[in-house]
Amino acid sequence: MERDGQKYLGKYEPIISKKLFDEVQEMLVKKKHIKRQVIPFAFRGLLKCAKCGCQLTATLKKGRLVYYYCTNGKNICEEHKAYLKEEDLSKELSGVFNTLLFDEKIVDLVYRQKLKENQEASVYIDEAVAGLNARLKVLAERKRVLLDGYLDKIVMEADYRAKNKDIDNEVVVISKDLEELEIKKQSHDISTLERIKNCFLQPKQMKKDYLLSKPNEQRNTLATLLWNAEIDNKKIANLSFKQPYDALSKIENKSDFSSMRRGRDSNPRRVFTLTSFRD
Ligand SMILES: [Zn+2]
């Protein structure tokens, strides 16, 4: 058995099949292709032209400057001549947060008021639960007495059956009430209230973070808030918010306590977080 280097290498030389060769080539081509797509048009897909409703697209100029413009897909729009620099667009889009900013003091005030209301409600719920449970005990005792009376032949069978049925019916009603109270108790939970509070305060922090981040991260932030933004003459013309931000954006005068309550109350079914804030 020969063990010279040449033969050793020859034995272990990998066999490259044509198929593998093709696969590697394909991978390289694909990678190159993907790389080419990663030119950062951060805000593309998020913007619409307010004039014609077409998507805004982007182009790279001088190899580094990104400009956005209307695709003019319907061929009816003059906006495609207005090129919007990414830097300016990023600044303009920071205005998205403005309709979502609440005065922290007021949020805290409402929060503490709700907390107080919830605590009062909890006391009421606990009392109601205790009352109903006491009633259940009374009814159980009555059932027993009634049965004894029937077995001792003091109570007639017809009376026994009728009275026993009444008691059973009342027990069913009470059990339903207890279930409802349990659900109510959960909705008055402090963690629910905390979540709602954070929802009101979050956009302020989002804006701070937005102003410090790069377009790609800014895009992610905007995408959590918005379905899209319509741009008209390089300015935000219309915003379509996702929930619950849509509801937050519609509350007028966010530094005024009474209007904040009105905003919620006038449209109570608008959004889950706000409905949970009610009652
Ligand atoms: Zn257009």
Side-chain angles (χ1 to χ4, degrees):
M1 210 156 127
E2 283 191 50
R3 279 209 165 254
D4 68 85
Q6 283 262 305
K7 283 220 161 166
Y8 192 81
L9 275 177
K11 195 180 170 191
Y12 285 92
E13 206 166 9
I15 300 155
I16 302 167
S17 70
K18 196 189 164 294
K19 188 168 170 282
L20 180 65
F21 189 89
D22 290 346
E23 275 171 10
V24 172
Q25 189 184 29
E26 206 178 315
M27 275 188 270
L28 288 173
V29 170
K30 219 181 229 171
K31 207 176 166 193
K32 217 174 154 190
H33 185 61
I34 288 165
K35 226 174 185 174
R36 237 185 279 134
Q37 279 187 326
V38 178
I39 296 167
F41 296 146
F43 302 115
R44 197 163 66 174
L46 206 61
L47 307 165
K48 273 185 176 178
C49 168
K51 292 232 168 73
C52 72
C54 288
Q55 292 272 336
L56 260 63
T57 190
T59 181
L60 197 64
K61 300 227 166 181
K62 295 177 196 163
R64 60 190 175 88
L65 292 172
V66 176
Y67 287 87
Y68 291 80
Y69 61 99
C70 173
T71 46
N72 191 25
K74 294 168 190 165
N75 218 10
I76 52 162
C77 188
E78 288 292 301
E79 277 295 302
H80 65 281
K81 291 173 187 166
Y83 278 64
L84 179 51
K85 217 183 186 171
E86 185 166 76
E87 204 186 320
D88 297 336
L89 180 63
S90 162
K91 262 184 218 153
E92 176 64 16
L93 289 172
S94 72
V96 158
F97 301 93
N98 293 350
T99 56
L100 303 172
L101 301 179
F102 290 84
D103 188 318
E104 281 174 57
K105 279 186 196 141
I106 286 154
V107 172
D108 200 52
L109 200 68
V110 180
Y111 169 76
R112 275 186 283 136
Q113 198 202 337
K114 287 306 296 181
L115 196 64
K116 199 165 152 260
E117 279 175 28
N118 280 12
Q119 279 160 352
E120 284 162 7
S122 292
V123 171
Y124 159 76
I125 290 168
D126 288 347
E127 277 172 7
V129 168
L132 291 172
N133 280 324
R135 180 69 185 160
L136 283 179
K137 262 188 188 168
V138 169
L139 293 173
E141 178 62 17
R142 279 212 184 141
K143 257 174 103 87
R144 219 167 25 241
V145 171
L146 189 64
L147 182 62
D148 285 347
Y150 169 62
L151 294 174
D152 292 343
K153 299 198 162 73
I154 301 166
V155 179
M156 298 285 103
E157 183 173 350
D159 292 341
Y160 165 74
R161 288 192 185 280
K163 192 68 198 165
N164 201 50
K165 199 179 160 196
D166 287 349
I167 294 172
D168 287 344
N169 287 341
E170 195 179 339
V171 168
V172 168
V173 171
I174 289 174
S175 302
K176 272 185 191 156
D177 286 350
L178 281 171
E179 271 173 37
E180 272 172 32
L181 285 169
E182 184 52 41
I183 292 164
K184 222 172 188 179
K185 206 177 163 74
Q186 280 166 15
S187 77
H188 284 81
D189 193 75
I190 189 161
S191 67
T192 310
L193 210 54
E194 286 284 341
R195 277 210 312 278
I196 300 164
K197 182 186 175 183
N198 290 337
C199 182
F200 280 89
L201 296 178
Q202 186 193 31
K204 203 167 190 171
Q205 188 59 46
M206 280 173 127
K207 182 174 184 176
K208 276 185 199 159
D209 295 342
Y210 177 95
L211 293 172
L212 296 172
S213 26
K214 299 217 154 63
N216 276 317
E217 295 162 59
Q218 291 181 334
R219 188 231 158 77
N220 291 339
T221 306
L222 293 173
T224 58
L225 295 176
L226 296 172
W227 295 115
N228 59 61
E230 285 184 9
I231 303 293
D232 187 4
N233 200 18
K234 304 187 180 185
K235 299 281 173 209
I236 296 172
N238 193 25
L239 295 170
S240 152
F241 284 102
K242 292 177 182 174
Q243 292 292 26
Y245 306 103
D246 185 47
L248 298 190
S249 75
K250 282 171 183 154
I251 299 172
E252 286 160 32
N253 193 357
K254 291 165 173 68
S255 61
D256 177 48
F257 178 73
S258 57
S259 77
M260 188 163 158
R261 290 190 62 83
R262 263 204 311 281
R264 292 202 326 269
D265 297 344
S266 63
N267 220 338
R269 297 179 65 188
R270 204 158 48 195
V271 61
F272 66 98
T273 50
L274 297 179
T275 49
S276 1
F277 227 109
R278 284 185 335 129
D279 184 35

